[in-house]
Amino acid sequence: MTLLTNHLPTAELQAIDSAHHMHPFTMGQGLREKGARVITSAKGVWMRDSDGAEILDAMSGLWCVNIGYGRDELAEAAARQMRELPYYNTFFQTTHVPALALAQKLAALAPGDLNHVFYASGGSEANDTNIRMVRAYWAAKGQPERDVIIARWNGYHGSTMGGASLGGMKGMHAQGGLPIPGIAHIDQPNWWAEGGEMSPEEFGLARAQQLEAKIQEIGPERVGAFIAEPVQGAGGVIIPPYSYWPEIRRICDAYGILLILDEVICGFGRTGEWFGAQSYDIAPDIMTVAKGLSSGYAPIGASIVSDEITGVLDGIEFSHGYTYSGHPVACAVALENLRIMEEESVIAHVQNTAAPALKEAWESLGDHPLVGETVIKGMMASLALTPDKSRRAAFASPVGTVGTRCRERSFANNLIMRHVGDRMVVAPPLVITPDEIEILITRARKALDECFELLRAEDLYHSA
Ligand code: PXG
């Protein structure tokens, strides 16, 4: 058996990591000095590190471990599938049972006429599929000039060339010459930071109408699709005002533009329904899914596609696919994950127990002197750190200075709560209990208190 090195002292593990492992979105030098935290095992919402600390993971890994850690059934499903058929591809007019069974299941769960599944290994790959699929669709319909896809600033759609181009993270665009041609961006519906004097509803409408303005600027005959997350996740859990989505759907209909909903975070119960599409009553033409599809136990993503698009693509060969499109082990794990979600009524637990408890607890943080708005949709929540709630003020320090301190205090209190700029974010496993939510909030409040003290000690408690 391969030797795993869990038994080594933490410092040795960190030294090996530092010597050989390149981390995503990380400044190597800073990490090298500090040493990475080594996670060794996990169960439910709890993780353990190599020093034995018990950490409450309020981020579900990276927004993905929806059913919680340590479910043997998923390990069994993977082992069973590996023994029976560890790999085969779905090219060359071939299929296998895990791929077709999961496609059938996803078609049944997905709203409307989204009845067809194109597999990938994660969300970025699935979004790359979407770019090529949308362009192939319009070309097959005799409108190849409809190659522009509109997306949003501060949206996140992955880290591949296509995914990062769709995303609206300027820091990512700055590395590697992005975005690729044919991608345009409009502003996000972030009322707290950008809403000015408008009411949230007026602002939501105004931000949706930017889509119409952008279509007219580019030329309606050039625009193929609009892509967005129902609720922006990596952008800081930005929950759109209720006026936003109906107006977006109206505009897409008016111009005959495809709507791609990126459900990589929102899908599989995160917003309180199976999909964000259902939480906001939006009918998409394509949905991107990943993460919660397998609760992160195996890498898998997919594009779930409408009858109309599939019907058109049936007339051409869509020259696209990955070695691991429909990987049998990942499909088997996803199927088992969905079985557990259904049989254990995980979404009902969210609706009736976890989301109401988290909402009450999260909103109670609103009385803290550092906290501006607290927002929550289902099991994804954020709060704005501010030096002055009444003005929705930003800090004078560079964005993220305060958020980083708050995250550090959170980690020091064995709570995984993230920061995005100066917003704090949680998205715990959907199976979290009310008692665990209480621990989460006690630790979050302690982190806020300690952060507040730090800001005063460092003279950072000032508005811009
Ligand atoms: N779409 C959305 C909405 C996502 O959140 C992706 C696509 C890409 O999926 P893959 O599986 O290729 O990573 C994501 C991923 C963060 C963070 O810091 C968020 C993601 C990934 C890594 C970090 O919040 N989301």
Side-chain angles (χ1 to χ4, degrees):
M1 269 227 301
T2 310
L3 190 64
L4 293 176
T5 48
N6 261 354
H7 62 285
L8 291 178
T10 300
E12 282 184 48
L13 296 172
Q14 288 171 331
I16 296 169
D17 187 76
S18 167
H20 301 294
H21 179 197
M22 297 173 82
H23 288 246
F25 287 86
T26 300
M27 201 187 284
Q29 197 182 337
L31 184 64
R32 210 151 281 142
E33 284 155 16
K34 195 171 152 206
R37 187 167 211 170
V38 184
I39 304 299
T40 51
S41 63
K43 182 104 190 140
V45 303
W46 298 96
M47 307 189 307
R48 184 185 285 265
D49 72 11
S50 54
D51 294 328
E54 297 278 352
I55 304 157
L56 199 166
D57 180 13
M59 280 309 301
S60 308
L62 263 182
W63 321 81
C64 52
V65 188
N66 288 9
I67 63 161
Y69 296 95
R71 293 297 301 246
D72 279 343
E73 302 91 322
L74 272 70
E76 295 300 333
R80 221 170 24 242
Q81 188 58 47
M82 276 198 194
R83 289 194 184 99
E84 203 165 296
L85 180 70
Y87 176 76
Y88 202 73
N89 67 71
T90 52
F91 291 47
F92 320 127
Q93 307 192 344
T94 308
T95 192
H96 49 68
V97 174
L100 63 90
L102 181 61
Q104 180 188 39
K105 185 76 213 165
L106 289 174
L109 290 174
D113 69 343
L114 303 190
N115 289 318
H116 312 273
V117 176
F118 198 108
Y119 288 113
S121 298
S124 306
E125 277 187 4
N127 278 327
D128 278 34
T129 298
N130 294 340
I131 295 174
R132 301 200 61 220
M133 187 183 283
V134 161
R135 290 176 175 170
Y137 164 82
W138 284 115
K141 275 175 81 93
Q143 299 178 61
E145 66 285 357
R146 274 201 187 242
D147 60 353
V148 178
I149 301 176
I150 301 176
R152 303 185 301 186
W153 295 118
N154 202 38
Y156 190 82
H157 301 293
S159 204
T160 50
M161 295 293 278
S165 293
L166 293 173
M169 303 298 181
K170 290 184 178 158
M172 292 176 76
H173 290 179
Q175 295 172 336
L178 301 181
I180 58 170
I183 311 285
H185 293 86
I186 60 172
D187 289 324
Q188 58 172 339
N190 180 347
W191 176 78
W192 171 268
E194 301 173 9
E197 297 302 309
M198 279 189 238
S199 73
E201 300 311 310
E202 287 167 346
F203 176 71
L205 212 53
R207 282 291 153 102
Q209 284 162 358
Q210 277 198 9
L211 176 59
E212 189 154 30
K214 186 58 91 179
I215 291 167
Q216 279 166 355
E217 179 193 321
I218 295 166
E221 71 291 349
R222 290 286 325 276
V223 180
F226 174 64
I227 182 167
E229 302 152 84
V231 173
Q232 288 154 261
V237 183
I238 308 301
I239 299 176
Y242 273 99
S243 52
Y244 184 76
W245 275 113
E247 183 67 359
I248 291 285
R249 185 65 260 189
R250 180 194 71 74
I251 294 165
C252 288
D253 287 343
Y255 293 89
I257 286 167
L258 299 174
L259 175 60
I260 308 168
L261 275 191
D262 186 335
E263 298 262 8
V264 166
I265 284 177
C266 292
F268 305 100
R270 180 60 59 195
T271 64
E273 304 280 350
W274 277 99
F275 297 100
Q278 292 148 339
S279 292
Y280 286 98
D281 197 19
I282 327 160
D285 300 287
I286 300 176
M287 286 194 327
T288 321
V289 294
K291 294 191 190 270
L293 168 56
S294 67
S295 281
Y297 281 62
I300 182 167
S303 306
I304 314 182
V305 182
S306 71
D307 290 341
E308 152 68 18
I309 294 173
T310 312
V312 170
L313 288 178
D314 277 348
I316 62 162
E317 178 178 320
F318 180 38
S319 305
H320 181 79
Y322 308 109
T323 301
Y324 298 133
S325 286
H327 191 286
V329 176
C331 288
V333 169
L335 273 166
E336 184 64 7
N337 174 58
L338 298 178
R339 183 194 67 74
I340 289 176
M341 286 194 66
E342 285 191 321
E343 286 183 16
E344 299 184 6
S345 305
V346 170
I347 289 177
H349 168 75
V350 167
Q351 291 173 349
N352 303 328
T353 307
L358 184 62
K359 180 172 160 62
E360 192 183 342
W362 191 251
E363 287 175 351
S364 78
L365 296 175
D367 65 8
H368 194 280
L370 259 186
V371 175
E373 69 168 1
T374 55
V375 298
I376 178 162
K377 183 81 182 171
M379 297 298 283
M380 55 199 300
S382 66
L383 57 81
L385 299 170
T386 177
D388 182 352
K389 318 183 190 221
S390 63
R391 292 193 302 116
R392 310 209 307 268
F395 289 95
S397 49
V399 174
T401 308
V402 174
T404 306
R405 278 166 178 70
C406 190
R407 183 198 62 189
E408 290 305 319
R409 292 326 303 156
S410 178
F411 283 16
N413 283 290
N414 288 331
L415 171 69
I416 303 293
M417 170 169 71
R418 303 201 22 199
H419 81 105
V420 176
D422 292 326
R423 288 184 86 84
M424 302 311 296
V425 171
V426 293
L430 307 184
V431 296
I432 193 170
T433 65
D435 287 348
E436 290 164 337
I437 288 171
E438 214 175 295
I439 300 171
L440 187 165
I441 292 299
T442 305
R443 291 185 184 181
R445 186 174 281 279
K446 188 149 179 283
L448 287 165
D449 287 343
E450 291 174 9
C451 176
F452 192 39
E453 270 174 43
L454 268 181
L455 295 189
R456 282 189 297 194
E458 293 184 61
D459 201 20
L460 286 170
Y461 190 59
H462 300 293
S463 51

